[in-house]
Amino acid sequence: AQKITQTQPGMFVQEKEAVTLDCTYDTSDPSYGLFWYKQPSSGEMIFLIYQGSYDQQNATEGRYSLNFQKARKSANLVISASQLGDSAMYFCAMRESGGAQKLVFGQGTRLTINP
Amino acid sequence: DVKVTQSSRYLVKRTGEKVFLECVQDMDHENMFWYRQDPGLGLRLIYFSYDVKMKEKGDIPEGYSVSREKKERFSLILESASTNQTSMYLCASSSRTSGDHTDTQYFGPGTRLTVL
């Protein structure tokens, strides 16, 4: 069965520092997708970044990048130059192959940016 | 922009009541999903639907049912609400294309349900 593990329940970072949020996954399927979502206190899940299992390059979206290490089965999110507005819950998720496109989520990491 | 709306942000119900949570998306997505979110457990899939009138059980379907009579609307039903169903409920939708992030799931704002 597919599984996502986020080992950091909470992280505290100074504003403008870079931060890495850890995510490891387990699957026997050679084709999969990895997603990161942000959930501010308002509750809505906001899509941040996607990495496909066959992608050769690490995904980047503005200040967000994904450190994809396939052999280690890790997909860490890196946020550069953190801002106060980055304070939120962050979820890593994996999509199963097949038509239903279900996502399996990790437990989440609560990131707090200190001024 | 993709828009997924949910009928209520906050809901308080009594044990034994029948509860309807409504979700509407405006992007003509084929797939729709219902999750519940609890602290320390992340999001867990309750039910999903990949077409009108089609439904599939997720990981925790017990105590829930769903209805999808129209493509844009996916309803979650608690037949007889219990206190252990107090949770945050999130609806999502995605298109059926596969292979890249165009099939990203887009989420509604969530409904925080309290069952007394």
Side-chain angles (χ1 to χ4, degrees):
Chain A
Q2 297 187 338
K3 187 177 179 182
I4 292 280
T5 303
Q6 295 178 252
T7 57
Q8 307 153 310
M11 285 195 69
F12 296 85
V13 173
Q14 286 298 120
E15 191 179 8
K16 299 181 185 176
E17 287 184 354
V19 57
T20 298
L21 305 182
D22 295 340
C23 173
T24 58
Y25 60 92
D26 187 22
T27 181
S28 57
D29 194 333
S31 176
Y32 52 89
L34 296 157
F35 298 77
W36 276 92
Y37 285 85
K38 172 185 179 181
Q39 187 182 41
S41 56
S42 59
E44 188 168 351
M45 298 281 282
I46 301 167
F47 166 70
L48 295 178
I49 196 167
Y50 167 85
Q51 180 84 43
S53 58
Y54 294 118
D55 293 344
Q56 296 296 313
Q57 306 267 5
N58 284 345
T60 60
E61 289 285 350
R63 293 187 300 113
Y64 304 108
S65 61
L66 205 151
N67 184 0
F68 182 46
Q69 298 188 42
K70 197 170 181 177
R72 293 186 173 187
K73 293 189 174 179
S74 74
N76 299 339
L77 177 71
V78 180
I79 306 174
S80 63
S82 58
Q83 302 170 356
L84 296 178
D86 294 332
S87 293
M89 282 290 288
Y90 287 81
F91 290 95
C92 180
M94 179 165 57
R95 182 188 64 220
E96 298 178 352
S97 61
Q101 300 165 330
K102 297 184 292 181
L103 290 179
V104 175
F105 284 83
Q107 307 92 318
T109 295
R110 182 170 296 282
L111 176 64
T112 302
I113 308 297
N114 295 317
Chain B
D1 275 355
V2 176
K3 192 72 174 177
V4 181
T5 58
Q6 295 182 229
S7 49
S8 306
R9 291 300 303 271
Y10 299 93
L11 208 54
V12 180
K13 295 291 181 180
R14 298 218 172 264
T15 302
E17 280 193 75
K18 191 168 186 175
V19 182
F20 292 87
L21 303 182
E22 304 285 341
C23 175
V24 178
Q25 50 94 5
D26 67 357
M27 283 301 293
D28 202 35
H29 284 168
E30 294 84 3
N31 304 324
M32 295 189 75
F33 307 83
W34 274 107
Y35 296 90
R36 65 175 282 175
Q37 180 182 4
D38 301 289
L41 297 178
L43 278 72
R44 293 178 292 167
L45 182 64
I46 304 171
Y47 266 96
F48 65 99
S49 168
Y50 51 88
D51 205 347
V52 176
K53 296 192 184 296
M54 305 300 287
K55 60 184 179 184
E56 294 282 344
K57 292 180 180 179
D59 299 318
I60 51 165
E62 296 78 18
Y64 304 94
S65 63
V66 290
S67 172
R68 191 158 180 210
E69 296 297 318
K70 293 184 178 181
K71 189 175 186 179
E72 68 271 18
R73 187 180 297 269
F74 192 36
S75 303
L76 180 69
I77 303 156
L78 287 66
E79 294 289 342
S80 178
S82 63
T83 55
N84 62 13
Q85 292 178 310
T86 292
S87 188
M88 172 74 128
Y89 290 88
L90 289 158
C91 174
S93 72
S94 69
S95 68
R96 197 177 288 164
T97 54
S98 61
D100 61 23
H101 68 279
T102 56
D103 56 359
T104 298
Q105 288 186 22
Y106 294 91
F107 284 80
T111 296
R112 191 167 293 281
L113 173 67
T114 302
V115 182
L116 302 175

